[in-house]
């Protein structure tokens, strides 16, 4: 009842305070030239009902809305039209110079990017690149995984680790609203759909470290996503063997109301059925997402973002055979299963955002959101395994089969896990410009209430050669079968807990930006600080203490007065990660309310170099970083599930170098190559430094686009990733100081071929049926092109004769083919 009353009060507060919202504007100005570089007078520059006209010097100036997609149209009586799309920050003065001619009309929008993002060290990803990128789990995350410093060893997962951090250390925002990931997910194949609908995306910004104080409290990275605001009716649809989607853009006649609604459905059977485990399995994932915008005038802006999703994961394994060992001594693991797993993950998300611009120098925002997740994880799976030698005699009737068993055993896994969590957020922000907009002040204050109800019941029983295996934590002599075992019979793993937790958080930030001169060089300075105050309470929780952290951060960017277009950046600051519920819960399911915030100090030095090669634009970005960490909450990584020790027992560090070269390797297309070196280690209780679970030393990534010169309608997209192996695959309850084995290197190549029917629409006559489409293409994709065997974890079994334990790799997907049809009106 108390929660319902609180929700009612918050919703009433949100609706009644809409009047405090803000709209914002920016200015676009520049000079229009003809092909002879002479000013053009009387060019009409328009946006919806607003317009400006160039003077005798070709100069124009136009005020446009900020934080939204604005399409500018340049028209002249004797020259061809040009359209350009801009998206600017509040109060920004953007210079855009145009060259017009009488030969060809520019039909496609030119997306103008903001130079401020370069100064801030933010990487911008174009939505078109995301949509066309071939990947088993297509989306923004699949593109990020080609970046240096971003690592993931699972093509079935959207989770990623950045510069030595784990999956919980990354901030994700959609329209300035923080997005949460599921709590109980333990395997990448259970994830289904990422929150972000790529067909609704307008802009994607990513920072791998050293980010500003205006972003929240996480240790590793920020992914900032902005959904577009429709400018006209549009419809996009996609269908493939992995599912489909449909997205509609709508706008009212008076341009004040707009809406985007997207529906997605995904079926991972094609991918999962390519694995070694034979199953009766059809996982289905679906979601509906909508955003409604209302702009009554230039000062006001209102929006609602809603999402409802459901992941249904029904899994019934049947058999599995994994061959490993050496050519001279091949070994096979055969497993026969009984039982099934039934999981469901349902989430509801809603957010109201209002904005108001008091004047050109002062703006305010109010953002509220509610996130509710209900997660269920039920399974009873019995596995009987045989570890044996494989017949390698050519001509034998049993060639490739197991002919001699070296070990047998059984395993029973049981779980009845339920989680119900609700996160409520209310935030107010402000932006102010001082001294003719030479200084910018941003501030914000946020309240968050987290309510979690969690029941954990999971255990595992292991039997080897007829003898029950006790967990390593029970130290009782056992020399079966020579002497009878008289100790207790207990599960190998056993976790039982019920937690009802409330967390109240207050956080805020203040930040100052300015641009000045250092000699003849341009200098940008950003300085700010965050605070975060929280307290944990709940049923059977005692001793919880209020905690507060303070995080100052600063950035410097210097652009020397050189002929070469170079920019140097230095970022440093404190970054804290106050614990979420999962970080408060230890291996036994017990909540420690006094877990401290993990702390990291970032030092990032980078260089950004723009140049031309073969008369085409390129950019080389180099970043060297060092992070020192204290109060580290150590953890183990099992597939994508993170289990914390919840004791702040360690210190750690991470350092490395990231390089990325991107540009038009093929004219008219954007591609990039990336390389990363990284080392991260931790010291638990003074025992010495060992590799952290995300210590991925080397990373190579390629995202490449091409087309066939003799068949320009045929496009090629290549996604190539190579990562050195992670530490992992150790037996359960293993001491990390005794097991520092690494998994095999991760190698993955996905390729897509797309025939674009609309490639030559400008040459088709008016009225042609294909000309109604902005894009109509048929694609053929090959996932895991070279059929590499990538392992995510190990299954450990015992040889009853030699007493050895074998780590048998759990392989990911093999080569898979997919066909995709895309249409956009």
């Amino acid at each position: 009842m108390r929660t319902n009353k609180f929700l009612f009060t918050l919703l009433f507060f949100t609706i009644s305070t809409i009047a405090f919202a803000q709209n914002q504007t920016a200015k676009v100005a520049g000079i229009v030239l003809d092909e002879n570089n002479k000013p053009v007078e009387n060019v009409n520059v328009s946006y919806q009902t607003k317009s400006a006209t160039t003077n005798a010097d070709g100069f124009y100036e136009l005020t446009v809305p900020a934080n939204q997609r604005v399409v500018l149209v340049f028209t002249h009586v004797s020259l061809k039209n040009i359209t350009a799309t801009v998206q600017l920050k509040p109060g920004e003065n953007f210079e855009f110079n145009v060259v017009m001619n009488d030969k060809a009309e520019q039909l496609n929008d030119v997306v103008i990017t903001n130079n401020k993002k370069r100064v801030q060290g933010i990487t911008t990803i174009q939505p078109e690149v995301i949509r066309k990128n071939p990947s088993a789990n297509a989306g923004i995350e699949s593109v990020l995984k080609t970046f240096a410093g971003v690592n993931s060893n699972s093509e079935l997962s959207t989770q990623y680790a950045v510069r030595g951090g784990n999956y919980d250390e990354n901030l994700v925002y959609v329209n300035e609203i923080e997005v949460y990931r599921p709590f109980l997910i333990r395997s990448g194949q259970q994830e289904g759909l990422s929150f972000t609908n790529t067909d609704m995306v307008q802009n994607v910004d990513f920072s791998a470290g050293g980010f500003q104080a205006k972003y929240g409290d996480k240790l590793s990275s920020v992914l900032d996503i902005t959904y577009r605001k429709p400018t006209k009716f549009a419809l996009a649809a996609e269908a493939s063997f992995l599912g489909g989607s449909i997205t509609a853009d709508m706008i009212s006649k008076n341009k004040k109301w707009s809406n985007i609604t997207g529906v997605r459905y995904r079926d991972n059977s094609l991918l999962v059925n390519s694995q070694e485990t034979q199953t009766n399995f059809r996982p289905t994932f679906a979601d509906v997402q909508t955003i409604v915008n209302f702009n009554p005038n230039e000062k006001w802006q209102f929006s609602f973002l809603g999402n409802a999703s459901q992941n249904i994961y029904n899994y019934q394994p049947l058999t599995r055979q994994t061959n490993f060992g050496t050519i001279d001594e091949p070994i096979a693991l055969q497993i026969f299963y009984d039982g099934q797993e039934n999981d469901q993950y349902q989430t509801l998300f809603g957010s109201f955002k209002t904005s108001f611009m008091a004047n050109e120098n002062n703006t305010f925002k109010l953002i509220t959101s509610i996130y509710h997740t209900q997660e269920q994880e039920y399974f009873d799976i019995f596995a009987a395994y045989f570890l044996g030698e494989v017949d390698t005699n050519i001509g034998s009737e049993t060639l490739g089969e197991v002919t001699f068993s070296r070990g047998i055993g059984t395993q029973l896994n049981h779980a009845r896990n339920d989680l119900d969590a609700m996160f409520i957020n209310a935030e107010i922000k402000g932006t102010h410009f001082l001294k003719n907009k030479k200084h910018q002040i941003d501030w914000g204050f946020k309240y968050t209430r987290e309510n979690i109800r969690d029941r954990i019941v999971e255990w595992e029983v292991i039997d080897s050669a007829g003898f029950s295996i006790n967990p390593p934590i029970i130290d009782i002599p056992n020399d079966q079968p020579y002497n009878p075992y008289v100790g207790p019979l207990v599960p190998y793993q056993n976790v039982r807990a019920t937690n009802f937790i409330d967390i109240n958080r207050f956080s805020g930030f203040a930040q100052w930006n300015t641009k000045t001169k250092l000699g003849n060089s341009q200098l940008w300075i950003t300085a700010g600080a965050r605070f975060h105050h929280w307290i944990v309470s709940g049923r059977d929780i005692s001793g919880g203490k209020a905690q507060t952290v303070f995080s100052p951060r600063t950035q410097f960017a210097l652009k020397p007065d050189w002929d070469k277009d170079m920019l140097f950046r230095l970022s440093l600051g404190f970054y804290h990660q106050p614990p979420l519920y999962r970080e408060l819960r230890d291996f036994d399911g017990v909540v420690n309310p006094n877990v401290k915030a993990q702390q990291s100090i970032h030092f990032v030095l980078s260089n950004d170099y723009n140049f031309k090669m073969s008369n085409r634009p390129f950019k080389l970005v180099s970043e060297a970083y060092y992070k020192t960490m204290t109060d580290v909450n150590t953890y183990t990584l099992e597939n994508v599930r993170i289990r914390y020790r919840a004791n702040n027992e360690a210190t750690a560090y991470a350092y490395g170098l990231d390089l990325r070269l991107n540009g038009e390797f093929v004219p008219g297309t954007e591609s990039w190559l990336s390389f990363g070196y990284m080392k991260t280690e931790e010291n638990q209780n003074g025992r010495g430094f060992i590799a952290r679970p995300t210590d991925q030393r080397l990373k190579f990534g390629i995202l490449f686009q091409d087309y066939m010169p003799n068949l320009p309608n045929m496009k090629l997209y290549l996604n190539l990733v190579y990562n050195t192996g992670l530490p992992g695959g150790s037996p359960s309850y293993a001491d990390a100081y005794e097991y520092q084995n690494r998994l095999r290197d991760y190698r993955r190549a996905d390729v897509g071929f797309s025939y674009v029917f609309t490639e030559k629409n400008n040459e088709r006559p008016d009225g042609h049926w294909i000309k109604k489409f902005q894009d109509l293409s048929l694609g053929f994709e090959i996932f895991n092109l070279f059929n590499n065997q990538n392992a995510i974890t190990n299954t450990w079994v015992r040889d009853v004769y030699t007493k050895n334990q074998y780590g048998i790799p759990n392989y990911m997907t093999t080569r898979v083919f997919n066909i995709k049809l895309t249409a956009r009106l």
Side-chain angles (χ1 to χ4, degrees):
M1 285 296 294
R2 285 184 300 175
T3 300
N4 292 335
K5 288 181 180 179
F6 183 86
L7 289 175
F8 178 81
T9 302
L10 181 65
L11 290 175
F12 178 80
F13 173 78
T14 301
I15 296 172
S16 62
T17 55
I18 281 179
F20 293 170
Q22 65 172 332
N23 194 356
Q24 308 165 32
T25 61
K27 289 184 179 180
V28 181
I31 298 175
V32 180
L33 304 174
D34 62 16
E35 56 189 350
N36 298 316
N37 289 328
K38 294 182 178 180
V40 182
E41 188 177 4
N42 294 324
V43 174
N44 184 63
V45 185
S46 62
Y47 161 69
Q48 294 183 359
T49 59
K50 296 183 178 181
S51 64
T53 304
T54 58
N55 59 20
D57 297 322
F59 177 80
Y60 73 93
E61 183 178 80
L62 185 65
T63 300
V64 298
N67 287 334
Q68 64 175 280
R69 185 184 177 97
V70 174
V71 179
L72 302 177
V73 181
F74 296 78
T75 58
H76 189 268
V77 293
S78 60
L79 301 174
K80 294 296 183 181
N81 296 348
I82 285 181
T83 61
T85 301
V86 298
Q87 184 172 356
L88 305 178
K89 298 294 184 182
E92 181 175 1
N93 295 318
F94 186 76
E95 181 180 346
F96 181 46
N97 301 319
V98 177
V99 177
M100 301 182 71
N101 58 56
D102 59 357
K103 296 179 180 178
E105 180 178 2
Q106 186 175 329
L107 297 176
N108 296 324
D109 292 346
V110 178
V111 178
I112 309 302
T113 57
N114 190 337
N115 189 57
K116 284 187 177 180
K117 295 177 182 178
R118 183 187 181 198
V119 171
Q120 296 167 0
I122 292 174
T123 301
T124 299
I125 308 171
Q126 297 300 329
E128 195 68 16
V129 173
I130 298 169
R131 287 193 289 265
K132 293 180 178 179
N133 180 51
S135 174
N137 213 328
I140 293 171
E141 296 83 1
S142 68
V143 175
L144 289 181
K145 292 174 185 179
T146 65
F147 285 8
V150 181
N151 301 297
S152 175
N153 279 25
S154 174
E155 61 270 14
L156 292 175
S157 172
T158 60
Q159 306 306 322
Y160 55 91
V162 179
R163 294 180 176 175
N166 65 38
Y167 305 139
D168 288 338
E169 296 180 9
N170 306 305
L171 284 163
V172 180
Y173 292 100
V174 174
N175 285 14
E176 300 184 83
I177 302 149
E178 186 172 357
V179 176
Y180 302 93
R181 61 184 290 251
F183 286 82
L184 296 184
I185 291 286
R186 67 172 63 208
S187 171
Q189 65 189 27
Q190 298 172 358
E191 285 187 39
L193 295 165
S194 166
F195 178 91
T196 308
N197 187 332
T198 55
D199 285 332
M200 299 172 65
V201 167
Q202 163 65 33
N203 190 71
V204 178
D205 295 333
F206 178 72
S207 174
F211 43 88
Q212 299 177 10
K214 68 178 181 179
Y215 294 114
D217 296 293
K218 294 283 188 178
L219 291 184
S220 294
S221 72
V222 173
L223 178 63
D224 191 4
I225 301 162
T226 304
Y227 282 172
R228 69 177 175 273
K229 293 186 178 179
T231 57
K232 60 182 179 179
F233 174 81
L235 190 66
E238 181 180 292
S240 75
F241 290 157
L242 291 171
S245 66
I246 184 167
T247 305
D249 291 28
M250 292 171 283
I251 187 168
S252 64
K253 290 184 179 180
N254 60 9
K255 310 294 184 181
K256 293 183 178 181
W257 289 90
S258 64
N259 168 254
I260 308 177
T261 298
V263 180
R264 297 182 294 172
Y265 173 81
R266 184 174 176 87
D267 184 337
N268 271 353
S269 301
L270 180 69
L271 299 171
V272 177
N273 290 337
S274 73
Q275 295 178 303
E276 290 183 321
T277 302
Q278 301 301 309
T279 65
N280 289 325
F281 182 32
R282 187 160 187 175
T284 58
F285 315 100
D287 83 339
V288 179
Q289 200 161 152
T290 186
I291 181 168
V292 180
N293 303 299
F294 176 51
N295 300 327
N297 51 51
E298 292 185 359
K299 288 184 173 292
W300 296 84
Q301 189 176 76
F302 310 100
S303 67
F304 168 78
L305 173 63
N307 178 74
S309 68
Q310 182 179 59
N311 291 4
I312 299 177
Y313 179 84
N314 296 322
Y315 178 67
Q316 185 179 5
L318 301 175
T319 62
R320 165 187 170 183
Q321 178 168 331
T322 302
N323 297 325
F324 64 105
T326 63
I327 297 177
D328 296 331
E329 189 179 359
I331 303 174
L333 173 70
Q334 289 182 314
I335 305 179
F336 300 90
Y337 295 97
D338 190 16
Q340 62 181 337
E341 178 174 354
N342 295 314
D343 300 337
Q344 290 189 17
Y345 308 90
Q346 299 179 357
T347 61
L348 295 173
F349 176 84
S351 172
F352 292 92
K353 179 179 175 182
T354 62
S355 59
F356 171 74
M357 185 178 73
N359 50 52
E360 290 187 357
N361 295 322
N362 298 282
T363 60
F364 303 90
K365 291 182 182 179
L366 175 67
I367 304 171
T368 61
S369 66
I370 300 176
Y371 170 82
H372 183 213
T373 179
Q374 291 179 306
E375 304 177 22
Q376 169 189 296
E377 186 181 50
Y378 292 177
F379 58 78
D380 287 284
I381 296 178
F382 176 81
Y385 73 82
F386 299 85
L387 184 67
E389 298 176 0
V390 179
D391 186 357
T392 59
N393 294 322
I394 298 177
S396 172
E397 295 181 355
T398 59
L399 177 65
E401 298 180 5
V402 176
T403 56
F404 177 74
S405 293
R406 300 175 56 172
I408 60 174
T410 59
Q411 179 175 309
L412 176 61
N413 286 283
H414 167 92
R416 294 293 185 272
N417 298 331
D418 293 279
L419 182 137
D420 188 311
M422 180 175 289
F423 289 14
I424 302 171
N425 297 281
E427 181 178 15
I428 187 169
K429 292 182 176 181
T431 300
H432 310 280
F433 294 95
L434 307 174
K435 295 185 178 180
N436 296 323
K437 298 188 177 181
K438 291 183 179 180
H439 303 272
Q440 178 179 337
I441 303 294
D442 294 280
W443 59 268
F445 182 78
K446 181 179 180 181
Y447 168 72
T448 301
R449 178 178 175 83
E450 302 170 9
N451 176 263
I452 299 101
R453 291 173 289 177
D454 182 26
R455 184 194 68 170
I456 314 164
V457 179
E458 61 178 68
W459 47 260
E460 177 185 22
V461 176
I462 299 178
D463 176 278
S464 180
F467 301 97
S468 179
I469 305 300
N470 280 327
I473 59 175
I474 296 182
D475 187 16
I476 298 178
N478 182 2
D479 57 353
Q480 297 182 81
Y482 307 105
N483 292 299
Y485 174 68
V486 295
L489 293 177
V490 297
Y492 192 78
Q493 294 188 63
N494 187 19
V495 179
R496 296 174 182 269
T498 300
N499 299 311
F500 286 50
I501 303 298
D502 292 311
I503 307 176
N504 288 284
R505 303 179 187 272
F506 298 90
S507 60
F509 75 91
Q511 181 174 292
W512 166 68
N513 298 275
T514 189
K515 178 183 176 181
T516 184
K517 288 279 189 178
L518 185 63
N520 293 326
S521 301
Q522 299 181 61
L523 177 65
W524 292 265
I525 302 174
T526 300
R530 294 189 62 84
F531 82 91
H532 195 123
H533 174 87
W534 75 99
I535 186 169
V536 180
S537 60
R539 194 175 77 179
D540 299 326
I541 295 294
S542 60
K545 298 179 181 179
Q547 300 184 61
T548 305
V549 293
F550 182 72
S551 307
R553 305 172 188 175
T554 186
Q555 290 182 330
F556 301 93
L558 179 68
K559 191 176 188 306
D561 185 21
W562 297 347
D563 292 336
K564 293 184 178 180
D565 185 4
M566 281 196 175
L567 182 74
F568 296 90
R569 292 187 301 269
L570 173 65
S571 303
L572 51 94
F574 285 79
Y575 295 81
H576 290 91
Q577 182 157 323
L580 290 174
Y581 169 68
R582 185 164 35 209
E583 296 162 79
L584 298 171
R585 194 181 70 184
D586 66 12
F587 280 9
D588 296 322
V590 178
V591 169
N592 177 5
N594 294 319
V595 172
K596 299 178 182 178
Q598 300 181 86
Q599 177 180 286
S600 176
I601 304 177
H602 289 199
F603 302 89
V604 183
L605 180 63
S606 58
N607 172 257
D608 189 317
Y609 176 35
N610 287 334
F611 64 97
K612 286 193 174 182
M613 186 168 57
S614 300
N615 205 31
R616 296 197 294 270
F618 286 86
K619 175 185 285 189
L620 176 63
V621 179
S622 310
E623 290 195 333
Y625 59 89
Y626 177 81
K627 298 192 291 187
T628 177
M629 290 163 271
T630 56
D631 293 323
V632 173
N633 194 346
T634 56
Y635 61 92
T636 61
L637 196 58
E638 302 170 4
N639 202 305
V640 298
R641 182 171 73 162
I642 301 173
R643 300 177 64 185
Y644 291 93
R645 292 184 176 86
N647 56 13
N648 301 110
E649 66 178 358
T651 59
Y653 68 85
Y655 65 81
L657 174 68
D658 290 349
L659 303 174
R660 188 180 77 256
L661 174 66
N662 69 304
E664 295 186 10
F665 294 92
V666 176
T669 66
E670 182 184 14
S671 304
W672 59 74
L673 312 173
S674 64
F675 165 77
Y677 169 80
M678 188 266 297
K679 182 178 181 180
T680 182
E681 292 185 325
E682 64 187 19
N683 184 350
Q684 301 179 17
N685 288 324
R687 299 175 64 186
F689 282 96
I690 58 172
R692 305 191 76 197
T694 51
D695 181 36
Q696 202 149 49
R697 295 296 173 85
L698 296 178
K699 162 70 178 287
F700 295 91
I702 296 176
L703 191 147
F704 186 74
Q705 302 183 63
D706 199 358
Y707 62 88
M708 297 182 180
N710 297 328
L711 190 62
N713 295 54
M714 183 64 73
K715 311 294 183 180
L716 167 69
Y717 309 96
L718 176 66
N719 187 338
L720 182 65
V721 174
Y722 169 80
N723 298 329
T724 53
L726 287 169
S730 302
S732 297
Y733 284 97
D735 186 343
Y737 279 83
E738 296 180 5
Y739 289 89
Q740 278 289 293
N741 299 332
R742 289 181 178 265
L743 297 168
R744 60 177 60 193
D745 294 352
Y746 182 84
R747 297 164 295 170
R748 179 83 182 183
D750 298 325
V751 63
F753 302 90
S754 181
Y755 187 85
V756 183
F757 296 97
T758 52
E759 179 70 17
K760 296 184 179 180
N761 260 1
N762 58 334
E763 299 177 7
R764 293 189 171 95
D766 293 339
H768 195 285
W769 69 273
I770 292 184
K771 206 164 185 179
K772 297 178 181 178
F773 293 89
Q774 291 186 6
D775 177 34
L776 180 62
S777 57
L778 181 65
F780 175 68
E781 299 175 321
I782 307 175
F783 304 138
N784 198 358
L785 176 64
F786 302 113
N787 205 27
N788 293 314
Q789 288 188 311
N790 296 310
I792 186 67
T793 54
N794 284 333
T795 295
W796 289 82
V797 298
R798 296 186 174 211
D799 183 337
V800 70
Y801 297 101
T802 65
K803 306 298 183 184
N804 290 330
Q805 289 195 78
Y806 292 92
I808 293 88
N810 295 317
Y811 293 122
M812 301 296 291
T813 58
T814 57
R815 185 187 294 116
V816 174
F817 301 94
N818 185 39
I819 294 176
K820 181 171 66 175
L821 176 66
T822 303
R824 297 181 183 278
L825 293 175

